[in-house]
Amino acid sequence: MPDYLKDLDRPYNAGDWTLQCNSSQLCQIIGVVKIPHGHAAIRAVVMIKRGIAKDAKPSLRIAFVDSVGRIDASLPVTNWRLYSRGLPKMPPPIRLELGEIEADGAYTVTPDIAAKIISALKRWPGAVVQDRGRNVAKMPRGDLARLFRKMDRLQHPKKPRMTAQETAEWLKEYHYVILRALPFEGSVPDSVLLSCDTRTYVDMPFGVRVAPDQVLFTADCPEGSKIFLQKAGQEPVKFDVSYSDGKIYPHGYAGFNAETSLLEIQIPKNGNLECGRWLKIGFTGSKFAMIEDRRYDRCRAVPYDLWPKVWYPTSWKYADTPPTNEGNAPPIVEGVKRP
C-alpha cells in the first residue's frame, strides 16, 4: 500500500478525539470521554465530518450514550446549552439546536450552530452540556485544533503523494448489486450445530436464504461467532473474514440483518468488543461484497454504527432474488396475475 494511503488509514488521537480518514480523503473526527467508573453518566459522542474540497464546511452530529454505550433517546434536548470549563472568564454558552434524532441515534446540528460549537471545542479546555444549570453530558477534551491541522495536511498535501500508476491500481471504483434475502425453512445441519470448539452445541443458530440455491448460517460459540455458507446438495462451508495479508481474526459477533439483507460482523480489538472493526457485507449471488467497514480503536463503549467509516463501495443497490422455477413462481404481491 502506498505511504499516503497508510497515512490516511492510520487513526490519530488527541485527548478524547480521534481523526480517521479513508482512501477517498474524506476525514472524520470522533470524540467521547472514557467510560466512567463507579457511577452512571451520560456522555456526548461528537462526530465531525468534512468533505475533500478546500473550502468544505465541517458538519457536526452528536449522540448521547450512557456508561455502557446505550443510546439515550429519551432526553429532552430542547433547552440544552454548551458551557465552557477551565477558562478564567466563562464565555457565553452556545445553544445546541439539535434536529430530530436519526436512525443511528445521533442528532445533526444546524450548520451555523455547528460552526460555533466546533470553534469553541477547538479553543476551550473543556466543555459540558447543561439543561437549566443541570449537567447533562460530558463532552470530549483534547487538542481538536491540532487534529484539524493534521486533517488539512492529509486532505490537501502540498504535492501529489501517489503516482498515476499507484492511483490507478489502488483507487478503483466498486459497484455492487446485493440480493435480497428470503426466510429459510428447514433444519440447521449437524455440522453447524456441532461446530463449537469448547461446547457441544452452538448457541442461537440462525439460517437465511441469501440466494435461490444458497443458505447462510450464523452460530454463537464461546470462542466467537461462526459463519457458514451451504450450496444446494453440499455440506456447509465455514468461512472467515481475512485481511489482505491473509491473517484471520475471530468474529466477536456475526449476525444477519434480515431487514437490510446484510451480514454484520464485529471483529474485536485484542478481544474487546467495544473496539475494533464493524463490517456490513452483502451477497451478490456469487460472492460476498463489502458494503461498509467501520473502525474505532478506542474501547469507549460507542455504538458500532457511530464508528468512523473507513471504506465503502462507490455504489450499491438491492436486487430481488430471481424466481427459483424458471420464472413461473407464484406471485408474491396480492393482485398480481400470473404471466
Side-chain angles (χ1 to χ4, degrees):
M1 181 184 292
D3 288 341
Y4 182 43
L5 293 186
K6 291 180 181 178
D7 288 343
L8 288 172
D9 186 62
R10 184 180 300 117
Y12 301 89
N13 298 326
D16 296 321
W17 300 101
T18 297
L19 166 66
Q20 180 69 69
C21 301
N22 59 37
S23 59
S24 63
Q25 296 175 290
L26 176 67
C27 292
Q28 306 140 91
I29 296 175
I30 182 172
V32 60
V33 299
K34 293 180 180 179
I35 305 169
H37 295 286
H39 66 282
I42 299 298
R43 300 169 296 143
V45 181
V46 181
M47 295 160 284
I48 302 169
K49 185 168 67 174
R50 190 174 72 178
I52 63 175
K54 284 194 174 183
D55 58 349
K57 303 296 183 184
S59 62
L60 176 65
R61 301 173 72 238
I62 302 178
F64 299 94
V65 299
D66 61 17
S67 55
V68 296
R70 290 182 301 236
I71 292 285
D72 195 331
S74 63
L75 300 170
V77 300
T78 53
N79 295 299
W80 288 7
R81 286 170 170 77
L82 186 69
Y83 286 82
S84 68
R85 288 290 183 269
L87 292 174
K89 183 178 180 181
M90 183 177 292
I94 302 173
R95 185 170 179 173
L96 294 190
E97 293 190 15
L98 304 177
E100 294 293 325
I101 191 168
E102 298 171 12
D104 60 4
Y107 301 88
T108 296
V109 182
T110 56
D112 54 336
I113 299 299
K116 293 181 180 180
I117 292 176
I118 293 172
S119 177
L121 293 175
K122 287 180 179 179
R123 296 178 286 108
W124 294 354
V128 63
V129 177
Q130 291 189 349
D131 180 11
R132 298 184 180 92
R134 178 180 63 89
N135 286 355
V136 174
K138 295 183 176 181
M139 295 288 285
R141 295 169 175 255
D143 195 345
L144 180 61
R146 181 175 71 84
L147 290 187
F148 265 87
R149 293 192 295 270
K150 181 65 176 179
M151 182 164 57
D152 288 334
R153 294 193 295 270
L154 288 172
Q155 288 187 315
H156 307 292
K158 292 183 178 180
K159 59 181 180 179
R161 295 186 55 189
M162 291 175 61
T163 65
Q165 182 179 358
E166 288 174 333
T167 300
E169 181 180 356
W170 286 92
L171 302 186
K172 300 176 182 178
E173 291 195 358
Y174 293 85
H175 303 269
Y176 294 122
V177 176
I178 304 303
L179 296 183
R180 292 189 186 275
L182 295 173
F184 167 69
E185 297 179 358
S187 58
V188 179
D190 289 343
S191 58
V192 175
L193 294 175
L194 302 173
S195 61
C196 286
D197 299 332
T198 57
R199 179 189 293 167
T200 303
Y201 290 103
V202 301
D203 190 23
M204 299 179 65
F206 177 79
V208 64
R209 190 171 296 281
V210 293
D213 60 342
Q214 299 186 66
V215 177
L216 178 79
F217 295 101
T218 60
D220 292 339
C221 294
E223 64 270 18
S225 297
K226 300 190 176 184
I227 311 169
F228 299 83
L229 186 67
Q230 182 180 33
K231 295 183 179 181
Q234 300 181 19
E235 283 295 310
V237 176
K238 178 179 175 291
F239 70 92
D240 302 279
V241 173
S242 62
Y243 290 157
S244 56
D245 59 2
K247 190 173 182 179
I248 295 175
Y249 292 86
H251 311 139
Y253 164 83
F256 193 87
N257 189 323
E259 293 184 3
T260 63
S261 291
L262 297 179
L263 175 65
E264 299 176 349
I265 300 174
Q266 203 276 333
I267 300 178
K269 178 185 178 183
N270 299 327
N272 194 331
L273 287 169
E274 293 181 349
C275 44
R277 307 294 281 256
W278 176 240
L279 313 176
K280 295 184 180 180
I281 303 172
F283 192 64
T284 67
S286 59
K287 62 181 180 180
F288 287 93
M290 182 76 72
I291 298 301
E292 190 172 289
D293 180 1
R294 294 178 182 266
R295 184 177 71 203
Y296 190 43
D297 290 339
R298 312 185 82 174
C299 306
R300 300 199 169 185
V302 175
Y304 299 151
D305 283 339
L306 300 181
W307 291 5
K309 192 184 298 184
V310 295
W311 195 88
Y312 47 89
T314 309
S315 72
W316 69 282
K317 63 182 180 179
Y318 289 113
D320 292 326
T321 303
T324 58
N325 61 348
E326 308 294 333
N328 294 317
I332 60 174
V333 179
E334 185 176 358
V336 176
K337 298 180 180 179
R338 292 180 182 273

